């Protein structure tokens, strides 16, 4: 247990992030989350995932969790707290995402209710443990490379980011209108 409480000399994360840089990370991780879900569906179900949430190749839940972790890890320096945050942050993001999607669209995109130790079908222990491993992979292997990528494309990103933000907002608005219409049509 004492190794978990030791300070970590340096995570390689920097303390000051611009909003544009965090938006870059959000977009990259949202895209990687879309790829991860589709790979999972191809392996498990032999097909791409077609959930009708956002038309573009983005899964915002996978963007929020790493960005929150990256920011919080600048204030944490021991293994135990990193382990706790790697469990809690993605699980909380997954729970809130599932709750809000169900509340606004009366649809549950994933359902862990038949799995042991689930909470309202939105999260379960098995996938929360998966998030810990994915978080550590993100923190120590993926994020340093994405930070390097950001430094290389920063000037271009400054130009592109407003257009990507507008695209994401339009996609979200379209999805909201489409799913609300579908939900009200189904209920009527």
């Amino acid at each position: 247990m004492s190794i978990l409480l030791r300070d970590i000399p340096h995570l390689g994360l920097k303390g000051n992030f611009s909003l544009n840089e965090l938006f870059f990370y959000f977009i990259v991780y949202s895209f990687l989350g879309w790829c991860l879900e589709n790979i999972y569906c191809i392996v498990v179900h032999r097909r791409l995932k077609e959930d009708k949430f956002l038309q573009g190749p983005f899964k915002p839940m996978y963007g929020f969790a790493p960005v929150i972790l990256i920011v919080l890890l600048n204030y944490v320096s021991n293994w135990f707290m990193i382990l706790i945050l790697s469990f809690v942050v993605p699980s909380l993001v997954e729970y809130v995402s599932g709750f809000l999607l169900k509340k606004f669209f009366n649809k549950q995109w994933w359902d862990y209710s038949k799995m042991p130790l689930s909470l309202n079908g939105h999260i379960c222990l098995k996938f929360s443990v998966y998030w810990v491993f994915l978080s550590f992979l993100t923190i120590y292997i993926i994020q340093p490379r994405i930070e390097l990528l950001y430094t290389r494309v920063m000037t271009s990103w400054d130009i592109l980011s407003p257009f990507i933000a507008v695209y994401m907002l339009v996609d979200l608005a379209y999805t909201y209108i489409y799913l609300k219409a579908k939900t009200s049509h189904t209920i009527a």
Side-chain angles (χ1 to χ4, degrees):
M1 181 72 165
S2 64
I3 194 163
L4 290 177
L5 297 176
R6 283 192 195 151
D7 284 347
I8 298 169
H10 182 59
L11 273 176
L13 298 173
K14 59 183 187 165
N16 297 321
F17 299 101
S18 70
L19 286 177
N20 207 27
E21 183 177 3
L22 292 174
F23 183 58
F24 177 80
Y25 299 150
F26 171 79
I27 292 297
V28 169
Y29 285 117
S30 295
F31 174 73
L32 291 175
W34 178 85
C35 293
L36 180 69
E37 277 202 6
N38 278 293
I39 290 169
Y40 176 83
C41 284
I42 288 169
V43 170
V44 174
H45 304 292
R46 307 273 187 240
R47 62 178 170 79
L48 286 175
K49 185 163 179 97
E50 296 178 28
D51 58 15
K52 303 290 187 224
F53 187 78
L54 297 183
Q55 300 303 304
F58 302 104
K59 294 290 180 183
M61 180 176 76
Y62 291 93
F64 283 115
V67 168
I68 293 168
L69 267 176
I70 290 163
V71 170
L72 289 177
L73 289 178
N74 285 287
Y75 304 100
V76 175
S77 64
N78 71 59
W79 288 100
F80 184 70
M81 284 307 298
I82 291 171
L83 183 67
I84 296 297
L85 285 173
S86 296
F87 181 87
V88 171
V89 169
S91 298
L92 186 61
V93 168
E94 185 176 33
Y95 185 87
V96 169
S97 298
F99 173 81
L100 291 174
L101 288 168
K102 182 147 175 104
K103 181 173 177 57
F104 284 112
F105 303 115
N106 201 28
K107 179 180 176 188
Q108 194 155 349
W109 267 263
W110 62 92
D111 187 2
Y112 300 140
S113 59
K114 293 183 177 138
M115 300 189 86
L117 300 171
S118 75
L119 183 59
N120 300 324
H122 300 307
I123 59 173
C124 70
L125 181 61
K126 177 181 175 180
F127 279 90
S128 292
V129 170
Y130 289 167
W131 296 136
V132 171
F133 289 109
L134 195 56
S135 295
F136 271 76
L137 178 71
T138 297
I139 294 164
Y140 294 105
I141 296 173
I142 298 171
Q143 181 58 23
R145 287 162 178 79
I146 292 177
E147 282 185 14
L148 182 61
L149 175 64
Y150 178 73
T151 61
R152 292 182 178 165
V153 302
M154 185 173 16
T155 305
S156 301
W157 179 252
D158 286 343
I159 296 165
L160 286 174
S161 62
F163 298 104
I164 293 173
V166 167
Y167 169 80
M168 290 288 290
L169 290 172
V170 168
D171 195 358
L172 185 61
Y174 171 80
T175 298
Y176 180 81
I177 292 165
Y178 169 79
L179 291 174
K180 275 305 219 185
K182 189 176 177 183
T183 302
S184 63
H185 185 281
T186 306
I187 293 172

